[in-house]
Amino acid sequence: MQVKKENSRALKVAIEIKKVLSEYLICGTINDYSKVRPSMISITEVVISADLSHAKVFICSIAKDVSDNDCLEFLNQHSHQLRHHIAQSVRLKFVPELRFFIDTSFEYANKIDKLFKSINKG
């Protein structure tokens, strides 16, 4: 988690929101399955602002046949429902606004790995 070390409350909230969102998506309680199966969305990281008002939620699609952009669109359409579930599950005065982003760290790691392999071969 990318939260300042002195703000342990934000770190705890980020961990709890990640857990709650992941469990909620796995349970499949969102009723709209147009393209995306919620259980095939992985929450990779949650970053909370220092004032706990905004949360950046990084996601990737586990399913090969569904794009990350479809997952983003799906989550943005259901952000109100997701915030409502967080409000019921996590004891907070205010539930942070959720912003969803595609996690590109796996692609970046693969790119770096390929570069190292090409250097070792040469």
Side-chain angles (χ1 to χ4, degrees):
M1 303 289 151
Q2 298 176 359
V3 178
K4 294 180 182 178
K5 291 182 181 179
E6 63 267 6
N7 195 348
S8 63
R9 171 98 172 119
L11 178 61
K12 289 177 186 177
V13 170
I15 291 169
E16 193 62 25
I17 286 176
K18 179 181 177 183
K19 181 180 136 195
V20 167
L21 286 176
S22 296
E23 289 173 354
Y24 190 63
L25 292 173
I26 288 171
C27 291
T29 51
I30 297 175
N31 295 327
D32 179 18
Y33 297 109
S34 55
K35 297 180 192 174
V36 179
R37 292 184 316 267
S39 61
M40 299 305 285
I41 299 173
S42 176
I43 307 292
T44 57
E45 185 174 11
V46 175
V47 179
I48 301 283
S49 63
D51 63 355
L52 306 178
S53 63
H54 294 85
K56 290 182 179 179
V57 181
F58 293 89
I59 62 109
C60 68
S61 173
I62 298 171
K64 299 285 184 200
D65 59 335
V66 178
S67 74
D68 288 336
N69 288 328
D70 288 338
C71 292
L72 275 182
E73 183 181 328
F74 177 84
L75 291 171
N76 284 320
Q77 287 175 355
H78 294 90
S79 64
H80 180 73
Q81 185 177 354
L82 294 168
R83 286 185 74 205
H84 180 72
H85 182 71
I86 291 170
Q88 291 176 334
S89 303
V90 182
R91 197 169 160 192
L92 295 169
K93 188 172 186 177
F94 299 104
V95 177
E97 178 185 332
L98 302 176
R99 294 185 183 159
F100 297 98
F101 298 91
I102 297 170
D103 187 352
T104 58
S105 62
F106 297 112
E107 294 168 10
Y108 183 73
N110 284 335
K111 182 178 177 181
I112 297 296
D113 189 45
K114 286 179 184 177
L115 286 172
F116 280 132
K117 287 179 181 178
S118 69
I119 290 171
N120 288 337
K121 288 180 183 177

